[in-house]
Amino acid sequence: MGISKDGSRKSNYQRGVELRGKLTLFGEGCRGSLSQKLIKKYCLRELADAQHQTYGLGVKEVWEVEKSKHQPGLVLHTVGWPLDSKTYGGSFLYHMDNCKVAVGLVVALDYKDPYLNIYEEFQRFKTHPSIRSLLEGGTVLQYGARTVNEGGFQSIPKPVFPGGALIGCSAGFLNAPKIKGTHTAMKSGILAAESAFATLMNAQDSEPNMENFWSALKDSWIWDELYVARNYRPAFKYGLLPGLAISAFEKYISCGRFPWTLKHGEPDHKATEVADKHQQKAYPKPDGNISFDLLTNLHRSNTNHDHDQPVHLQLKEERIPLTVNAPRFAGPESRYCPARVYEYITDNNGNLKLQINAQNCLHCKACDIKDPLQNIEWTVPEGGGGPGYSVM
């Protein structure tokens, strides 16, 4: 903490804390910064013969609805509209306690249209009669966004390395069809704790290895659950209707035991097509009751970063936004970001430039994943910065 934009130390400067342990378990969630480095350093995907990870971006609001409309425990999942048949995604709606309802839209980041705006698609989704009727008369309490792992069984890297292991969504244990990963994260943590204890009790060297965790994971219900669900997500690379047909076959006929395993398509960042192949989208203006402009909703996330700190969203090459992203892909970062961090503006000389509003960041990691040339790197900002979720 306490480092200014120019790298100098401010009056509140504090050194980072170095944590050391014989074993370290990494549970950073989806696209964890340290986890990504560990996967690359120790070639963990290659060791498990795993495919690349695939991702979805979820945007979400929590509402307080009228008591007469509230049905505690009701769960609604949808697929399709407002997305087109070539874009995988769906919605969720959960009735929680005290008249609170969580509603959101998850869109796979392998979408092709650079003009697609996930936030605006979510606002459009809420105008569906069945959703609008529930939300009318209610109040939005909070807004947020986060990427999720969708690769499933095919994308699980070897989760162990010298001195530690990956757990939860750092390793990619989310069940994509259920949009559910808390249960697998908890179980992986239990298995890792048991394995760590056994490893330390029997350790003979200074750098113990948790190979027993890898074995325990394969023998657990996590492995079985993700194996049965492995073909749902990659089936939709063929489109909505083929995806539904394959998923129905897997669910009701083969029960996930058919002797094939579908492969994922190309990595998410490579899926984006050039803007010339698509048309700009005209999204409806927000009405202020059911749909909202992004900055109004962003305020509800309580996100906050000290302005005087190094920008945590790093461009590997400063020229790429203006030489590649803007002319070829119509500046997709200005649309896939659910917090308006990236804006193309004109400077005083009339020249186009990319402005990074790092203080808006919701830490969703979409930019680190979807940038066409992988030119954006999400790094950790100063401690204490980020969204201030309370009911998400």
Short mmCIF file of all heavy atoms in Angstrom, two decimals, residues 279-303:
data_model
loop_
_atom_site.label_atom_id
_atom_site.label_comp_id
_atom_site.label_asym_id
_atom_site.label_seq_id
_atom_site.Cartn_x
_atom_site.Cartn_y
_atom_site.Cartn_z
N GLN A 279 -22.36 -6.13 -37.74
CA GLN A 279 -22.98 -4.80 -37.75
C GLN A 279 -23.08 -4.27 -36.31
O GLN A 279 -23.24 -5.04 -35.37
CB GLN A 279 -24.38 -4.87 -38.36
CG GLN A 279 -24.39 -5.21 -39.84
CD GLN A 279 -25.80 -5.20 -40.42
OE1 GLN A 279 -26.77 -5.33 -39.69
NE2 GLN A 279 -25.90 -5.05 -41.73
N GLN A 280 -22.99 -2.95 -36.20
CA GLN A 280 -23.14 -2.34 -34.89
C GLN A 280 -24.54 -2.61 -34.35
O GLN A 280 -25.50 -2.73 -35.09
CB GLN A 280 -22.90 -0.84 -34.98
CG GLN A 280 -21.47 -0.46 -35.34
CD GLN A 280 -21.21 1.02 -35.17
OE1 GLN A 280 -21.68 1.65 -34.23
NE2 GLN A 280 -20.45 1.59 -36.11
N LYS A 281 -24.61 -2.72 -33.02
CA LYS A 281 -25.89 -3.01 -32.37
C LYS A 281 -26.48 -1.74 -31.77
O LYS A 281 -25.76 -0.93 -31.18
CB LYS A 281 -25.69 -4.07 -31.27
CG LYS A 281 -25.21 -5.41 -31.80
CD LYS A 281 -25.04 -6.40 -30.66
CE LYS A 281 -24.55 -7.75 -31.17
NZ LYS A 281 -25.55 -8.41 -32.02
N ALA A 282 -27.79 -1.60 -31.93
CA ALA A 282 -28.50 -0.47 -31.33
C ALA A 282 -29.28 -0.98 -30.13
O ALA A 282 -30.34 -1.60 -30.28
CB ALA A 282 -29.44 0.17 -32.35
N TYR A 283 -28.76 -0.76 -28.94
CA TYR A 283 -29.42 -1.22 -27.73
C TYR A 283 -30.43 -0.18 -27.25
O TYR A 283 -30.21 1.04 -27.39
CB TYR A 283 -28.40 -1.49 -26.63
CG TYR A 283 -27.55 -2.71 -26.89
CD1 TYR A 283 -26.23 -2.60 -27.34
CD2 TYR A 283 -28.07 -3.99 -26.68
CE1 TYR A 283 -25.45 -3.72 -27.57
CE2 TYR A 283 -27.29 -5.13 -26.93
CZ TYR A 283 -25.99 -4.98 -27.36
OH TYR A 283 -25.23 -6.10 -27.61
N PRO A 284 -31.55 -0.61 -26.68
CA PRO A 284 -32.55 0.34 -26.20
C PRO A 284 -32.01 1.19 -25.05
O PRO A 284 -31.17 0.73 -24.26
CB PRO A 284 -33.69 -0.56 -25.74
CG PRO A 284 -33.07 -1.89 -25.48
CD PRO A 284 -31.96 -2.01 -26.47
N LYS A 285 -32.49 2.42 -24.97
CA LYS A 285 -32.07 3.30 -23.89
C LYS A 285 -32.65 2.80 -22.57
O LYS A 285 -33.78 2.32 -22.51
CB LYS A 285 -32.52 4.73 -24.16
CG LYS A 285 -31.81 5.40 -25.34
CD LYS A 285 -32.24 6.84 -25.49
CE LYS A 285 -31.48 7.52 -26.63
NZ LYS A 285 -31.89 8.94 -26.79
N PRO A 286 -31.89 2.91 -21.48
CA PRO A 286 -32.40 2.47 -20.18
C PRO A 286 -33.58 3.32 -19.73
O PRO A 286 -33.61 4.54 -19.98
CB PRO A 286 -31.20 2.64 -19.25
CG PRO A 286 -30.31 3.65 -19.93
CD PRO A 286 -30.51 3.44 -21.40
N ASP A 287 -34.54 2.68 -19.06
CA ASP A 287 -35.73 3.43 -18.62
C ASP A 287 -35.60 3.93 -17.18
O ASP A 287 -36.44 4.68 -16.70
CB ASP A 287 -36.98 2.56 -18.76
CG ASP A 287 -36.91 1.27 -17.94
OD1 ASP A 287 -36.12 1.19 -16.99
OD2 ASP A 287 -37.66 0.33 -18.27
N GLY A 288 -34.55 3.52 -16.49
CA GLY A 288 -34.35 3.99 -15.12
C GLY A 288 -35.18 3.26 -14.08
O GLY A 288 -35.06 3.54 -12.88
N ASN A 289 -35.99 2.33 -14.50
CA ASN A 289 -36.83 1.55 -13.58
C ASN A 289 -36.45 0.07 -13.59
O ASN A 289 -36.24 -0.53 -12.54
CB ASN A 289 -38.31 1.71 -13.94
CG ASN A 289 -38.80 3.13 -13.77
OD1 ASN A 289 -38.57 3.75 -12.73
ND2 ASN A 289 -39.47 3.66 -14.78
N ILE A 290 -36.36 -0.49 -14.78
CA ILE A 290 -35.97 -1.88 -14.94
C ILE A 290 -34.56 -1.98 -15.49
O ILE A 290 -33.76 -2.81 -15.06
CB ILE A 290 -36.96 -2.63 -15.88
CG1 ILE A 290 -38.36 -2.58 -15.32
CG2 ILE A 290 -36.50 -4.07 -16.09
CD1 ILE A 290 -38.52 -3.25 -13.97
N SER A 291 -34.23 -1.13 -16.44
CA SER A 291 -32.89 -1.10 -17.04
C SER A 291 -32.20 0.21 -16.67
O SER A 291 -32.85 1.24 -16.48
CB SER A 291 -32.98 -1.24 -18.56
OG SER A 291 -33.80 -0.22 -19.11
N PHE A 292 -30.86 0.14 -16.59
CA PHE A 292 -30.10 1.28 -16.08
C PHE A 292 -28.83 1.49 -16.89
O PHE A 292 -28.28 0.54 -17.46
CB PHE A 292 -29.73 1.06 -14.61
CG PHE A 292 -30.88 0.72 -13.73
CD1 PHE A 292 -31.22 -0.60 -13.49
CD2 PHE A 292 -31.66 1.71 -13.16
CE1 PHE A 292 -32.30 -0.93 -12.70
CE2 PHE A 292 -32.75 1.40 -12.37
CZ PHE A 292 -33.08 0.08 -12.14
N ASP A 293 -28.39 2.74 -16.94
CA ASP A 293 -27.11 3.00 -17.60
C ASP A 293 -25.99 2.45 -16.73
O ASP A 293 -26.15 2.26 -15.52
CB ASP A 293 -26.92 4.51 -17.85
CG ASP A 293 -26.74 5.29 -16.56
OD1 ASP A 293 -25.60 5.43 -16.10
OD2 ASP A 293 -27.76 5.75 -16.01
N LEU A 294 -24.86 2.16 -17.36
CA LEU A 294 -23.80 1.43 -16.67
C LEU A 294 -23.24 2.19 -15.47
O LEU A 294 -23.02 1.60 -14.41
CB LEU A 294 -22.69 1.10 -17.67
CG LEU A 294 -21.67 0.05 -17.22
CD1 LEU A 294 -21.07 -0.67 -18.41
CD2 LEU A 294 -20.56 0.65 -16.39
N LEU A 295 -23.01 3.47 -15.60
CA LEU A 295 -22.40 4.21 -14.50
C LEU A 295 -23.31 4.30 -13.29
O LEU A 295 -22.83 4.31 -12.15
CB LEU A 295 -21.98 5.61 -14.99
CG LEU A 295 -20.83 5.63 -16.00
CD1 LEU A 295 -20.47 7.06 -16.37
CD2 LEU A 295 -19.60 4.90 -15.47
N THR A 296 -24.62 4.37 -13.52
CA THR A 296 -25.55 4.35 -12.40
C THR A 296 -25.44 3.03 -11.64
O THR A 296 -25.40 2.99 -10.41
CB THR A 296 -27.00 4.55 -12.89
OG1 THR A 296 -27.11 5.84 -13.47
CG2 THR A 296 -28.00 4.42 -11.75
N ASN A 297 -25.39 1.93 -12.40
CA ASN A 297 -25.27 0.62 -11.77
C ASN A 297 -23.90 0.43 -11.12
O ASN A 297 -23.79 -0.20 -10.06
CB ASN A 297 -25.51 -0.48 -12.80
CG ASN A 297 -26.79 -1.26 -12.51
OD1 ASN A 297 -27.44 -1.07 -11.48
ND2 ASN A 297 -27.17 -2.13 -13.43
N LEU A 298 -22.87 0.96 -11.75
CA LEU A 298 -21.52 0.82 -11.20
C LEU A 298 -21.44 1.42 -9.80
O LEU A 298 -20.76 0.87 -8.92
CB LEU A 298 -20.51 1.51 -12.13
CG LEU A 298 -19.04 1.32 -11.76
CD1 LEU A 298 -18.63 -0.15 -11.87
CD2 LEU A 298 -18.14 2.18 -12.65
N HIS A 299 -22.15 2.50 -9.59
CA HIS A 299 -22.17 3.13 -8.26
C HIS A 299 -22.71 2.15 -7.22
O HIS A 299 -22.28 2.16 -6.05
CB HIS A 299 -23.03 4.39 -8.31
CG HIS A 299 -23.12 5.10 -6.99
ND1 HIS A 299 -22.07 5.81 -6.45
CD2 HIS A 299 -24.15 5.21 -6.10
CE1 HIS A 299 -22.44 6.33 -5.29
NE2 HIS A 299 -23.69 5.97 -5.05
N ARG A 300 -23.62 1.26 -7.64
CA ARG A 300 -24.21 0.29 -6.71
C ARG A 300 -23.25 -0.84 -6.34
O ARG A 300 -23.53 -1.61 -5.43
CB ARG A 300 -25.48 -0.31 -7.32
CG ARG A 300 -26.59 0.71 -7.59
CD ARG A 300 -27.83 0.03 -8.12
NE ARG A 300 -28.93 0.97 -8.27
CZ ARG A 300 -29.51 1.30 -9.42
NH1 ARG A 300 -29.08 0.74 -10.55
NH2 ARG A 300 -30.49 2.17 -9.46
N SER A 301 -22.14 -0.94 -7.05
CA SER A 301 -21.15 -1.98 -6.73
C SER A 301 -20.24 -1.57 -5.58
O SER A 301 -19.51 -2.40 -5.04
CB SER A 301 -20.29 -2.27 -7.96
OG SER A 301 -19.39 -1.18 -8.20
N ASN A 302 -20.27 -0.28 -5.24
CA ASN A 302 -19.39 0.27 -4.18
C ASN A 302 -17.92 0.07 -4.49
O ASN A 302 -17.09 -0.02 -3.57
CB ASN A 302 -19.72 -0.35 -2.82
CG ASN A 302 -21.14 -0.07 -2.38
OD1 ASN A 302 -21.64 1.05 -2.52
ND2 ASN A 302 -21.83 -1.08 -1.86
N THR A 303 -17.58 -0.03 -5.78
CA THR A 303 -16.17 -0.23 -6.11
C THR A 303 -15.38 1.05 -5.85
O THR A 303 -15.88 2.16 -6.03
CB THR A 303 -16.01 -0.67 -7.58
OG1 THR A 303 -14.67 -1.15 -7.78
CG2 THR A 303 -16.29 0.47 -8.57
#
